[in-house]
Every structure is written in structure tokens, then in C-alpha cells.
């Protein structure tokens, strides 16, 4: 039985409108495994079962209706799941994605909540695919990916996923060029700037070469009627698929408008090396150079952090695979990156698990 037929039957239990869709599909990922993490806490190492290490576990519904003339309506409702305890992730029902939109010759426009363009940028270029290491967040846990704006002291939605947003994607027939953009409303009364978020991706693919640029800016407002601290990042990346190996280079500069201005540069060298159709090895080396001053009176800077990571995946089929990864982060005395419990602490993480896609 096809998934789309099963999905139609299930959705019909909730609303007869489901049968008006051209197609509705249920999909998801079930991912859970073991994590051993030493982040410098006085009590010692954490050993635990953790959901969503290679990819976040999820349950999703997506549908498309052909409106004629090349125009289509579409929707996606995607819920994050924690398989280790059965709870909902992202702190909301459909926290991963909740969008509705139109697509046609002009491209596609979606309204709602989704990953920021910069988050999707790292999904594409990070050899770990924004997973495996750094508590299942891949390199996106070390870089700034947006989706963390606040308005008048309210909590941010969740890192990397802006809410209240308009998303635009160019059509796929632009001779290798592509672009996507995002505008997120802060929804602050009388202020169109507070809490606003912006994102832009530009890409070009020719043969085995893939190059791209990403921009993200979040306007966070810590207190009602308080100043806005705009945090932004510019990122460039390039990869080339030689077949036997796919190297990648990523560079990002992050800054903000705080009184003690953030000044951070990050670069990664990585590689994906398929051994055969079932086995794959991936590795990255990342350096964070944080030149932010310790205080307005202290010219000393936060300092550097360095991470080496290696991962492995074995595929039983197109849907099911085993994975394992190890990451080691070392940093200067005033640096506190990669989830370190205290400044200067080294962080060591070992993960392995199983992922099934449906």
C-alpha cells in the first residue's frame, strides 16, 4: 500500500478536506542511539540514550494540490519527536516545520515556520549534514544559523527555525543558479524592527562544483522598550565531488551590535568519502577564532576553539543505517564553545545509533 494512500485515509479521519488534496503523504525519521559526553562538568561524563543524533526524529504530513496552469498549493506539518522518552521536541506541536504556500513558474512561496536559509545552507554543505556530533546538531551548533530573535523579553522560538516568516525559493531552471530568502516578522506593537529576522542564500552548481553564500540577521530585543542587538553572519562555502571524495570548505564571520561587540570567525575543512554503496566515512576540522574582548576595559579576547570530528555510516538499505561519530574540542581558557560546562573545558563526544526513514 502506498504511503500517500495510507496518509489520505488517516487524514480523512480528521477532516474530509484531506480527500480534496492531489496527494498527501505521511513521512518521518526514527533515530536513536547512545551518547557518551564529557563537557567538563565536575560530576564527570554523561552516558545516555539520545534521540535524533544523525537526524532529528520526526513525524510529518505534506500535501500538494494541482490548481491548474502550472500553479500548485502545498503544505507541510512536521513534528519533532524524542524517541528516548516519547516527548515532543522543539517545545511545540509542529515545531520543526509548519508552512502553507504556492508554487509555480515563479518559484515557491511558503508562509509559517521553517528552518532558516543559513540552517539549510549547513544541511547542504556540512559533511555531517547538521547531525552526528555536537549533540546531534553537527557544525550548525558551532556556527550562527539564525532563528533566535526575541521580542521584548519573550523567549526565542528555537535556534535555526524562525517563526512568523515568509520564505521564497527560485525555480529550478536557472542554469545552475539558485536563491532562497526569508523574512520573519517580529510582531512587536509599533515596531517593525524588533525581533525581525532576515535570511538569504545564493548558490551556483556546475558539474561537480557547488559554491554558495548565506546571510542571516536576527534583531533581538532583550527588554521591552530596550535596545535591539542585531546579530548577523556572512557565510561562504564550496565543495567539489571527485567521486572518491568530496572535500568542502566553509567560512563564516559573525558580529553583533552589543556594547561589547561580538567578533568571531569560523572555518571548516571537511571531507565525505564513500567506501562503497553501503559504507561512508566523513571528517571535519573546525577552528573558531573569537576576537571578542572580555570586557570594555579588558583588551584580552575570548580566544580560539578547535574541533576535530570523524564519523561513519553503514547502510542496510535506502531507509535504514547504522552510524557512529567522535568529536574532540579543545579551547583557550576563556572560550566556552561546543556545549562546554565551564570556560576552557575540553569537550569529548562519542555517539552511535540507528536511523530509519519512512
Amino acid at each position: 500500500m502506498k504511503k500517500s494512500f495510507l496518509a489520505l485515509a488517516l487524514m480523512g479521519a480528521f477532516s474530509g478536506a484531506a480527500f480534496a488534496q492531489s496527494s498527501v503523504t505521511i513521512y518521518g525519521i526514527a533515530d536513536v542511539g547512545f551518547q557518551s559526553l564529557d563537557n567538563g562538568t565536575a560530576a564527570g561524563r554523561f552516558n545516555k540514550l539520545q534521540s535524533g543524533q544523525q537526524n532529528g526524529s520526526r513525524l510529518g504530513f505534506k500535501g500538494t494540490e494541482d490548481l491548474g496552469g502550472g500553479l500548485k498549493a502545498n503544505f507541510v506539518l512536521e513534528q519533532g519527536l524524542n524517541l528516548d522518552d516519547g516527548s515532543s521536541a522543539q517545545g511545540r506541536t509542529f515545531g520543526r516545520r509548519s508552512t502553507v504556500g504556492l508554487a509555480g513558474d515563479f518559484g515557491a512561496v511558503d508562509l509559517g515556520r521553517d528552518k532558516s536559509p543559513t540552517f539549510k545552507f549547513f544541511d547542504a554543505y556540512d559533511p555531517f549534514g547538521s547531525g552526528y556530533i555536537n549533540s546531534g546538531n553537527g557544525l550548525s551548533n558551532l556556527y550562527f544559523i539564525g532563528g533566535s530573535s526575541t521580542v521584548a523579553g519573550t523567549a526565542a522560538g528555537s535556534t535555526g527555525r524562525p517563526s512568523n516568516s515568509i520564505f521564497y525559493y527560485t525555480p529550478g531552471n536557472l542554469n545552475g543558479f539558485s536563491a532562497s530568502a526569508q523574512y520573519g516578522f517580529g510582531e512587536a506593537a509599533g515596531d517593525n524592527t524588533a525581533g525581525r529576522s532576515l535570511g538569504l542564500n545564493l548558490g551556483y552548481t556546475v558539474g561537480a562544483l557547488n559554491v554558495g553564500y548565506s546571510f542571516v540577521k536576527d534583531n533581538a530585543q532583550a527588554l521591552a522598550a530596550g535596545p535591539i542587538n542585531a546579530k548577523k553572519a556572512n557565510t561562504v562555502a564550496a565543495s567539489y565531488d571527485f567521486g572518491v571524495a568530496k572535500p568542502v570548505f566553509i567560512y563564516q564571520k559573525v558580529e553583533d551590535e552589543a556594547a561589547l561587540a561580538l567578533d568571531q570567525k569560523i572555518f571548516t575543512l571537511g571531507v565525505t568519502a564513500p567506501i562503497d554503496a553501503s559504507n561512508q566515512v566523513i571528517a571535519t576540522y573546525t577552528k573558531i577564532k573569537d576576537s571578542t574582548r572580555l570586557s570594555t576595559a579588558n583588551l584580552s579576547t575570548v580566544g580560539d576553539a578547535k574541533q576535530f570530528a570523524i564519523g561513519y555510516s553503514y547502510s542496510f538499505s535506502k531507509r535504514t543505517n547504522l552510524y557512529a561519530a567522535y568529536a574532540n574540542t579543545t579551547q583557550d581558557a576563556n572560550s566556552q564553545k561546543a556545549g562546554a560546562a565551564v570556560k576552557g573545558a575540553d569537550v569529548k563526544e562519542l555517539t552511535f545509533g540507528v536511523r530509519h526513514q519512512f
Side-chain angles (χ1 to χ4, degrees), residues 68-127:
L71 186 65
K72 295 182 178 180
N74 57 77
F75 77 90
V76 178
L77 297 173
E78 188 174 289
Q79 178 184 35
L81 303 171
N82 296 316
L83 262 64
D84 53 331
D85 62 10
S87 62
S88 176
Q90 288 86 41
R92 57 195 73 200
T93 303
F94 294 107
R96 291 187 60 87
R97 186 178 179 187
S98 54
T99 61
V100 63
L102 297 172
D105 293 338
F106 58 87
V109 176
D110 290 336
L111 308 177
R113 173 182 170 86
D114 198 356
K115 286 184 175 181
S116 70
T118 302
F119 198 170
K120 293 183 178 181
F121 190 83
F122 278 93
D123 285 350
Y125 284 98
D126 178 5

Side-chain angles (χ1 to χ4, degrees), residues 88-240:
S88 176
Q90 288 86 41
R92 57 195 73 200
T93 303
F94 294 107
R96 291 187 60 87
R97 186 178 179 187
S98 54
T99 61
V100 63
L102 297 172
D105 293 338
F106 58 87
V109 176
D110 290 336
L111 308 177
R113 173 182 170 86
D114 198 356
K115 286 184 175 181
S116 70
T118 302
F119 198 170
K120 293 183 178 181
F121 190 83
F122 278 93
D123 285 350
Y125 284 98
D126 178 5
F128 289 99
S130 301
Y132 284 86
I133 57 173
N134 298 313
S135 293
N137 294 298
L139 297 181
S140 66
N141 197 47
L142 303 179
Y143 287 78
F144 178 62
I145 57 174
S148 54
S149 288
T150 60
V151 177
T154 60
S158 63
T159 300
R161 289 183 169 84
S163 301
N164 311 312
S165 291
I166 301 173
F167 300 88
Y168 171 73
Y169 307 90
T170 55
N173 55 352
L174 301 181
N175 297 318
F177 289 96
S178 63
S180 60
Q182 172 261 331
Y183 181 94
F185 295 88
E187 300 186 350
D191 191 341
N192 292 326
T193 303
R196 182 177 63 190
S197 61
L198 304 170
L200 173 68
N201 283 354
L202 301 174
Y204 178 66
T205 300
V206 54
L209 176 65
N210 192 354
V211 296
Y213 164 78
S214 185
F215 171 78
V216 61
K217 182 178 181 181
D218 281 1
N219 290 345
Q221 185 182 27
L223 300 172
I228 294 171
N229 177 23
K231 186 175 182 179
K232 63 181 180 180
N234 290 276
T235 311
V236 293
S239 66
Y240 192 91

Side-chain angles (χ1 to χ4, degrees), residues 47-79:
N47 291 312
K48 58 183 179 180
L49 200 67
Q50 178 169 274
S51 177
Q53 293 184 137
Q54 181 178 356
N55 292 127
S57 298
R58 69 200 68 172
L59 176 65
F61 306 85
K62 58 183 177 182
T64 299
E65 181 182 12
D66 191 341
L67 302 176
L71 186 65
K72 295 182 178 180
N74 57 77
F75 77 90
V76 178
L77 297 173
E78 188 174 289
Q79 178 184 35

Side-chain angles (χ1 to χ4, degrees), residues 4-19 21 24-26 60-63 75 77 94:
S4 58
F5 180 79
L6 177 62
L8 281 168
L10 182 60
M11 293 293 285
F14 297 96
S15 172
F19 288 96
Q21 299 287 339
V24 179
T25 302
I26 297 176
F61 306 85
K62 58 183 177 182
F75 77 90
L77 297 173
F94 294 107

Side-chain angles (χ1 to χ4, degrees), residues 300-325:
S300 298
T301 61
V302 171
D304 297 349
K306 302 173 184 178
Q307 182 180 92
F308 171 76
I310 187 167
Y312 167 77
S313 174
Y314 173 77
S315 297
F316 291 105
S317 66
K318 291 183 178 180
R319 294 185 178 185
T320 304
N321 70 286
L322 298 176
Y323 61 85

